[in-house]
Amino acid sequence: MLARTAQVVRAVGLPVTADLEGGYADTAAGVGETIAALLATGAVGVNLEDEGRPLEEAAERIAAARAAADVAGVPLFVNARTDVFLHGIGAPEDRPEEAVRRLRAYVEAGADGVFVPGVSDPETIAALVAAVPAPLNVLAGPGSPSVAELAKLGVARISLGPGLAEVAYAAVRRAAEEVYGHGTFTALADGLGYPELNRLSAG
């Protein structure tokens, strides 16, 4: 993960944020070590998931990330993610309150932004924006409000997760099924040509 992040940092002229999942460590101290290694790649942002851990433990991991960045003198943007909605933790009626409780704790621990994948209901999104004193990041996909609607609700950041890759792999599968199943090639008609691919690859 760190090697790939370093490659991205070298390839682009924009600030890079890395998805470190749960921090690739068993302890809060280990998360701090992971963050120190991440900062050495040149990345300046990180997503950290609570993975359903007890709130206190998850908050300690956020605090460790913030402390490591402070030691390094890097204003790292820590985007703290709760999986309450994504993994259906607790009773449905209790999830908004539990998410707010967790997100507030993460902000107090040093998070700059909060990420709540698994929520698309406008009323719930608006409630999260109002209740948590940090920019809200949501995961968008089919059935989600539009970019304009999310912005109107107060969402500050929109992620697509694996959505684009899933669409790309689906296109490859459709083309392969057509070739092997029917012996025709119409699914290849909308592909990008070599000049365009080369231009994109060159940056």
Side-chain angles (χ1 to χ4, degrees):
M1 176 64 187
L2 294 172
R4 296 296 174 260
T5 301
Q7 286 181 316
V8 173
V9 170
R10 290 193 299 269
V12 302
L14 295 170
V16 172
T17 186
D19 183 358
L20 289 190
E21 301 187 58
Y24 298 119
D26 294 328
T27 65
V31 171
E33 293 172 2
T34 301
I35 293 298
L38 175 71
L39 294 175
T41 70
V44 292
V46 63
N47 276 12
L48 283 175
E49 307 168 11
D50 62 16
E51 298 180 326
R53 289 185 172 87
L55 186 151
E56 294 76 12
E57 180 184 345
E60 286 177 2
R61 295 166 77 86
I62 296 296
R66 173 56 58 211
D70 289 345
V71 168
V74 177
L76 179 72
F77 189 95
V78 178
N79 197 34
R81 167 178 144 174
T82 183
D83 290 334
V84 168
F85 289 97
L86 185 65
H87 296 316
I89 298 172
E93 64 272 16
D94 296 333
R95 288 171 197 160
E97 182 178 348
E98 176 63 12
V100 168
R101 186 172 75 96
R102 285 175 171 269
L103 297 175
R104 284 177 173 171
Y106 302 161
V107 172
E108 290 178 8
D112 302 288
V114 294
F115 185 18
V116 189
V119 60
S120 59
D121 172 62
E123 185 176 340
T124 302
I125 291 172
L128 291 171
V129 169
V132 182
L136 177 66
N137 179 190
V138 299
L139 180 66
S144 296
S146 68
V147 170
E149 290 168 332
L150 289 170
K152 191 174 295 185
L153 291 170
V155 171
R157 180 176 178 179
I158 300 169
S159 296
L160 300 180
L164 292 177
E166 290 170 348
V167 169
Y169 280 118
V172 171
R173 184 171 68 179
R174 283 194 298 271
E177 287 174 343
E178 180 188 356
V179 172
Y180 286 107
H182 303 287
T184 55
F185 312 96
T186 56
L188 303 178
D190 296 325
L192 295 177
Y194 275 122
E196 178 70 1
L197 288 172
N198 288 334
R199 187 185 68 78
L200 291 171
S201 298

